[in-house]
Amino acid sequence: MGVQRLKRYIEGNNDVLKRRYFRKSKLIIDGSNLYYSLYFSFPLDQVHGGEYEGFEKVVSRFFANLRICKIEPYVVLDGGDDISDKKFDTLKQRTQDRIKRADALSKGRRGEVLPILIKNVFKQVLRKLKVPLIQCVAEADWEAAALANEWNCPVLSNDSDFFIFDIKGGFLPLSDFNWKKVESMEQSNKKYIVVSWYSVSNLCSTFNCMNKHLLPIFATILGNDYAHLDKTLFPNWTKFSLIPGVNCKIDGLLRWLSCHKGPKDAIKALLSMITNPRDSVTVRKVLKEGLQEYRLTPSSIAQFFKRGEPQSNLPRPLQSLPEWFLKALGEGKLNSILLDVLTLHRVTLNFSVQDFSLHSNNLTSRPIRQVIYGLMVQAAAEEEQYKVEEYDRQGLMLTSSKVPAISTNLQLDTLWEMPQNLRLEVFLDALCVSQALEELLVPANLQLAVYVTCYWLKHAQPEPRPEFFWALLVGLVYGELSRDPLTEKEVPKRLKNLKSREKESSLDLQAAHAYSQWQGSLRDSICLSQLLNNPVPEPEYAWLYSGLFLHHVITEMSRGITPESLLDGAPHALNLYQALREAVEHELGKDLVRRLRTKVKRAQPSECPAHQEPMDDISKYPIYEDDDEEDPCRGKNGKADYQDDKIFEEKCMVRTRHKAKRRTSKRDPKAKKSEYSYWE
């Protein structure tokens, strides 16, 4: 949700935002907004597929600094799409915009695109840090506002809808939440964060003490994610404004509303301006719905944070879900896309930088999603195959297609009661692999990545070049050794130098496309494994992929350097690389193995430079230690023609012989003269 252009207006109004020293308080955090803001507040890689390790450090630093200020965070994450579908047009437009931004990045222009696995990494890091988290069944804005109102504490977000909610504890805009620089009080040495604090009463007092219940009318007329009224039905609000410039429309509308006693009076005045009866009915309906959207009642998630109980007041399609599903969903241990499959029978897929003249990266992993859809279906008609509508791209356009579910003969109600080996069989069949990797000396943290790599090499089109495969394995070796302080010293110096190289690597668009297919396959494999209660060990996602590092490795290989020479002098690293390569090749056909062992010709990557600034040194934002607390942060190449979806349905026919058997196989604070107040 978001009110059009309101954030800029509020930030430019010195009488509305108050500077405060914030400490020792509960804080409700809009989780989806937070991970978006944190990723883009640092120059973390977007062009090459993401920099999850650096993102984990940023997230850890953020919550460490909250803790030493004795701030208790409660993170509220978005779940499924709005079941009423009122926002669907907005969601489609945003997805279309993401496609265009990713395409711009692929061509060296500016853009902002979150990496594919960002939400998985964010949730896992929060669990590791023991930060309270709930993933809602729908959008989190209303629940976050209601919970903050119930607990009398503020909300942290950049979403302009929180300027409309009447939250007793107020609202802290994330853009002016100075968490990177924790400060100390002179006498007591108590730590605090300088923030800008907003309340509805502050805004209303600047407009002749306007009735605060008029603000939902204001937001609805301006336009938000749910309401899109015909602006020509209303007068030119700028004529009521006392200020010039881009914000005069907002200022004029607020001044006009301040002349009315309350919502009924304002609605009556608005309707008197409309001559067409049909338009009048529409406007009345939308305005009344807007009043309800912002009306706060007791939250349905408070009991989750207090007693671990699943969210209440569920939509009808979700009321029959088993308790284990709702609990795991609330804890963020299941993908929220599952809710859209159940309630809306559709999913909207995400994108990263790739070759937009080729098929979407999401088509590679479609057979995995088909198994997920099959597991989620419980009441599909037998005479008609159950289908889910997938919104994906074709070229640069957002399109949709009906994708049939693949039945596994398992029921969702009893899914987690099934034996572990049976759930593993379902997973391995979906990825078209035949062995259990513990028999091939693959570390538990890398088993999922190796399964996905086998699947990727068999299904990706164009077929990944050998050096893409080798670099991916080198990246897995680096991540596995680096994530543990006990083995970090065994990382070869040459890899450390590549990792720390700040010089931008030009984008190899073929590599970017191949790795977007790999990440999409990993995303869907994680979703399937979680739904099956993790028959494959859950890895540390942040250490599985580093896009810029892999491009550096590919550049080295294009100069004729082999993976073995990169790992020279580090026996543990070399042995791990060979074990991973052997495990993958064991699953592949002889012809494919032969092609993957082809020597790389000395050649430069395809020319497609991408704009990317060097990575900030996150360590320049220090962690401040509190004396009485511990620190918590210790095919073939070429262009593909668009083909009939049937090809992808038949690409990997999943075996369903699932019997229980064993497998052998910013604002400047000086710009405003105001008193700083303390929050405690």
Side-chain angles (χ1 to χ4, degrees), residues 74-331:
Y74 293 85
V75 178
V76 184
L77 271 170
D78 288 331
D81 290 344
D82 175 38
I83 196 171
S84 72
D85 247 4
K86 289 186 292 186
K87 190 180 175 181
F88 188 47
D89 287 340
T90 301
L91 294 175
K92 286 193 293 185
Q93 184 57 54
R94 288 179 181 171
T95 305
Q96 181 66 64
D97 291 342
R98 281 197 295 272
I99 294 172
K100 292 180 179 178
R101 292 198 301 270
D103 178 61
L105 284 170
S106 75
K107 295 173 179 173
R109 301 196 298 268
R110 288 185 175 274
E112 284 188 345
V113 176
L114 284 172
I116 290 175
L117 300 174
I118 193 71
K119 189 174 181 180
N120 296 86
V121 173
F122 181 71
K123 292 189 293 184
Q124 189 179 62
V125 173
L126 262 57
R127 290 199 298 271
K128 191 190 304 185
L129 297 175
K130 295 181 169 45
V131 174
L133 156 76
I134 184 172
Q135 183 174 247
C136 297
V137 297
E139 280 207 340
D141 293 6
W142 187 92
E143 290 290 352
L147 182 63
N149 211 41
E150 195 172 330
W151 287 0
N152 195 23
C153 66
V155 171
L156 179 68
S157 177
N158 266 336
D159 193 322
S160 56
D161 269 311
F162 290 105
F163 290 121
I164 306 300
F165 287 115
D166 183 19
I167 304 171
K168 286 183 283 188
F171 168 47
L172 308 181
L174 183 54
S175 56
D176 212 7
F177 187 79
N178 298 291
W179 67 270
K180 297 174 186 175
K181 187 180 179 182
V182 172
E183 301 189 25
S184 302
M185 298 177 185
E186 290 185 5
Q187 296 181 345
S188 64
N189 202 36
K190 292 180 178 179
K191 306 295 192 300
Y192 64 87
I193 294 173
V194 178
V195 304
S196 291
W197 180 78
Y198 167 90
S199 73
V200 162
S201 59
N202 287 349
L203 178 62
C204 291
S205 65
T206 63
F207 290 94
N208 196 29
C209 295
M210 181 177 70
N211 186 331
K212 63 185 179 181
H213 298 297
L214 287 166
L215 288 180
I217 301 291
F218 162 73
T220 305
I221 293 174
L222 270 186
N224 56 30
D225 291 349
Y226 291 95
H228 304 280
L229 288 171
D230 183 355
K231 303 296 191 292
T232 63
L233 297 174
F234 305 114
N236 182 359
W237 303 115
T238 59
K239 65 184 181 182
F240 302 103
S241 176
L242 299 182
I243 64 171
V246 294
N247 293 323
C248 60
K249 178 181 177 181
I250 293 177
D251 185 76
L253 177 55
L254 284 169
R255 294 190 187 281
W256 183 86
L257 285 169
S258 67
C259 298
H260 298 84
K261 294 180 180 179
K264 288 185 178 180
D265 188 30
I267 291 174
K268 183 178 179 181
L270 287 166
L271 295 178
S272 67
M273 306 174 187
I274 302 172
T275 57
N276 188 318
R278 182 176 297 178
D279 289 337
S280 181
V281 170
T282 299
V283 169
R284 181 192 296 273
K285 178 176 179 291
V286 172
L287 291 176
K288 288 190 174 181
E289 288 175 349
L291 287 170
Q292 289 301 314
E293 293 287 352
Y294 294 102
R295 179 173 172 268
L296 295 180
T297 56
S299 165
S300 67
I301 61 175
Q303 74 274 15
F304 178 86
F305 287 120
K306 293 177 180 178
R307 298 181 293 275
E309 298 176 7
Q311 185 176 350
S312 58
N313 300 328
L314 299 174
R316 185 177 297 275
L318 304 180
Q319 291 176 2
S320 60
L321 285 172
E323 186 174 349
W324 65 261
F325 184 96
L326 293 172
K327 189 173 187 300
L329 180 78
E331 293 171 348

Side-chain angles (χ1 to χ4, degrees), residues 267-469:
I267 291 174
K268 183 178 179 181
L270 287 166
L271 295 178
S272 67
M273 306 174 187
I274 302 172
T275 57
N276 188 318
R278 182 176 297 178
D279 289 337
S280 181
V281 170
T282 299
V283 169
R284 181 192 296 273
K285 178 176 179 291
V286 172
L287 291 176
K288 288 190 174 181
E289 288 175 349
L291 287 170
Q292 289 301 314
E293 293 287 352
Y294 294 102
R295 179 173 172 268
L296 295 180
T297 56
S299 165
S300 67
I301 61 175
Q303 74 274 15
F304 178 86
F305 287 120
K306 293 177 180 178
R307 298 181 293 275
E309 298 176 7
Q311 185 176 350
S312 58
N313 300 328
L314 299 174
R316 185 177 297 275
L318 304 180
Q319 291 176 2
S320 60
L321 285 172
E323 186 174 349
W324 65 261
F325 184 96
L326 293 172
K327 189 173 187 300
L329 180 78
E331 293 171 348
K333 295 178 180 177
L334 290 177
N335 196 319
S336 59
I337 200 174
L338 302 175
L339 294 171
D340 295 335
V341 174
L342 278 176
T343 59
L344 300 169
H345 313 304
R346 70 161 185 257
V347 296
T348 304
L349 302 170
N350 58 358
F351 310 92
S352 62
V353 172
Q354 55 194 270
D355 188 340
F356 284 86
S357 68
L358 299 176
H359 285 308
S360 165
N361 67 302
N362 294 309
L363 290 178
T364 301
S365 56
R366 175 181 282 181
I368 302 174
R369 293 194 300 276
Q370 289 178 271
V371 177
I372 295 171
Y373 303 155
L375 288 168
M376 293 302 296
V377 175
Q378 297 191 79
E382 295 182 1
E383 64 274 9
E384 184 178 350
Q385 187 175 25
Y386 185 86
K387 293 185 179 181
V388 173
E389 186 175 19
E390 287 191 345
Y391 277 81
D392 199 354
R393 71 164 184 87
Q394 183 167 316
L396 294 177
M397 295 303 298
L398 182 67
T399 60
S400 69
S401 59
K402 298 283 189 177
V403 177
I406 294 179
S407 174
T408 61
N409 300 321
L410 297 178
Q411 293 296 313
L412 185 64
D413 286 344
T414 57
L415 188 56
W416 282 20
E417 299 172 11
M418 295 294 102
Q420 192 269 351
N421 64 318
L422 178 57
R423 289 180 279 112
L424 176 62
E425 177 121 4
V426 174
F427 179 84
L428 296 182
D429 280 351
L431 270 69
C432 303
V433 292
S434 61
Q435 59 180 335
L437 288 175
E438 60 268 17
E439 301 171 10
L440 293 174
L441 303 179
V442 175
N445 189 66
L446 295 182
Q447 289 179 15
L448 181 61
V450 170
Y451 286 134
V452 170
T453 303
C454 295
Y455 178 91
W456 170 66
L457 289 170
K458 294 177 183 178
H459 295 83
Q461 290 295 329
E463 185 178 285
R465 300 202 313 247
E467 62 267 35
F468 300 167
F469 169 51

